[in-house]
Amino acid sequence: MPDPVSNPYVGPRTFTRQESDRFFGREREARDLLSLVISKRLVLFYAQSGAGKSSLINTRLVPQLLQEGFLVLPVGRISGELPRGINAVANIFVFNLMLSLDQARGDPRRFTSMTLTDFLARLTTTDGEHYYYDDTTSAANEVTQARSDVPPHVLIVDQFEEIITTHLEHWQDRGEFFRQLDQAMTDDPLLWVVLALREDHVAALDPYADLLPGKMQARCYMQRMGYEAALEAVKKPAEQYGRPFAPGTAESLVDNLRQIRVQDETTTQLGQFVEPVQLQVVCYQLWENLKDQPPGEIT
């Protein structure tokens, strides 16, 4: 049994892959996303801000893809400021993505004018977990030959709305980023791509749809957290850590969390959804308050 003093709730932050055993309530969404990613080489995964996209990627999608025999590159980002000493790059979004994928944190000047195809061709791993750019790798062998000994590999770009919301002065780099992504997938038939973003920015990608395989039609939407999912996210971590909720207590907590104000803002009713971050904050603090109490049910 886990240490009963440890807090099974993560609080106001994203779940890490190491905290997969604490993540509950999203199994159906995880199955749907996994099935789509396996069947389609490029998938848009979107949800409302704060719905838990990044947590689901870390705790469910990445481990399940590995179990299915895929390689999974480090989760990438396309935002960020230029490192000191670098004044210009060929494409700010491609450059930032390469920096986020190179876990060796080598000299960033190598990537200032590099294409995504050339970078991915030399992105190397020895253990399937840690990746680094190796300029001694033969790009010709990596890109042009279909290798039966290498499984498909998945590039996940999180918070992809940043291609719309950041570096507004580099708006012309957006189209070129999509062209390079398309070229990378063309050059490497073993490359799969998942773009995760907030739902309010999905429509802004439509002008670029023709630049990518399938015109970005493979999409997975994760709805906000409902009552049953929230109840699971409240109860199961506590049960695992040896302090279950007394009958009706978790239900009351979830009902409190889904209260919404109506009419004149003085009346409340039960809403349909619960905010995952608020749930984690409340449960985290509840557990902290119980640390010095004798073991037993949470009432």
Side-chain angles (χ1 to χ4, degrees):
M1 177 180 296
D3 180 1
V5 177
S6 300
N7 200 317
Y9 304 98
V10 303
R13 62 170 177 81
T14 300
F15 282 77
T16 66
R17 183 174 161 190
Q18 291 70 33
E19 294 164 337
S20 297
D21 61 335
R22 306 183 187 187
F23 185 78
F24 293 99
R26 293 296 200 176
E27 299 307 321
R28 178 183 59 79
E29 292 87 346
R31 289 194 300 270
D32 292 345
L33 178 59
L34 177 66
S35 298
L36 188 60
V37 171
I38 289 175
S39 63
K40 301 292 184 180
R41 287 186 62 202
L42 188 140
V43 171
L44 288 188
F45 174 45
Y46 62 102
Q48 188 181 65
S49 177
K53 299 182 297 298
S54 299
S55 293
L56 186 139
I57 288 171
N58 293 340
T59 64
R60 292 295 181 269
L61 180 61
V62 171
Q64 290 172 356
L65 282 170
L66 293 171
Q67 290 174 5
E68 293 291 332
F70 286 77
L71 290 176
V72 182
L73 306 183
V75 176
R77 293 279 297 275
I78 56 172
S79 66
E81 300 303 321
L82 293 180
R84 181 176 299 179
I86 296 179
N87 298 320
V89 295
N91 187 291
I92 188 66
F93 303 113
V94 172
F95 176 79
N96 284 329
L97 179 58
M98 292 188 290
L99 281 188
S100 69
L101 296 177
D102 179 29
Q103 295 178 317
R105 302 292 186 264
D107 185 352
R109 290 174 295 182
R110 298 177 296 175
F111 308 138
T112 55
S113 59
M114 188 177 295
T115 66
L116 189 58
T117 288
D118 289 341
F119 172 83
L120 292 176
R122 295 183 172 92
L123 190 63
T124 305
T125 181
T126 57
D127 58 6
E129 295 282 342
H130 304 91
Y131 287 79
Y132 61 96
Y133 177 78
D134 182 3
D135 56 11
T136 65
T137 301
S138 171
N141 289 338
E142 289 290 317
V143 177
T144 61
Q145 298 179 10
R147 293 151 291 153
S148 59
D149 60 324
V150 177
H153 33 281
V154 184
L155 168 62
I156 302 172
V157 185
D158 198 9
Q159 300 187 37
F160 190 66
E161 69 273 4
E162 291 169 337
I163 200 167
I164 303 297
T165 62
T166 67
H167 299 295
L168 302 184
E169 72 279 15
H170 294 284
W171 60 272
Q172 292 176 312
D173 287 0
R174 296 172 188 162
E176 177 60 21
F177 174 88
F178 286 107
R179 293 185 188 94
Q180 289 202 31
L181 186 59
D182 174 65
Q183 189 63 53
M185 296 181 71
T186 300
D187 291 338
D188 187 353
L190 297 174
L191 177 63
W192 265 242
V193 176
V194 178
L195 305 176
L197 70 158
R198 286 165 34 189
E199 65 173 330
D200 48 327
H201 292 287
V202 171
L205 300 185
D206 288 344
Y208 309 101
D210 289 340
L211 302 177
L212 287 178
K215 298 183 177 182
M216 292 191 278
Q217 292 181 352
R219 304 184 178 191
C220 182
Y221 172 64
M222 184 170 73
Q223 195 176 53
R224 297 169 62 190
M225 179 174 278
Y227 175 79
E228 294 298 334
L231 195 60
E232 193 172 323
V234 168
K235 295 173 70 173
K236 288 198 172 182
E239 291 173 359
Q240 285 191 161
Y241 276 62
R243 193 187 286 270
F245 282 83
T249 304
E251 290 79 0
S252 177
L253 189 154
V254 172
D255 281 344
N256 285 334
L257 288 172
R258 63 188 180 121
Q259 294 283 336
I260 57 173
R261 293 190 180 276
V262 296
Q263 297 176 350
D264 58 358
E265 297 293 317
T266 62
T267 305
T268 61
Q269 291 184 2
L270 293 180
Q272 183 179 1
F273 301 113
V274 171
E275 295 295 334
V277 175
Q278 186 181 18
L279 182 152
Q280 287 295 323
V281 169
V282 169
C283 290
Y284 182 92
Q285 190 58 54
L286 172 63
W287 194 271
E288 290 296 301
N289 293 340
L290 293 172
K291 274 189 173 181
D292 296 329
Q293 302 296 320
E297 289 185 327
I298 300 175
T299 65

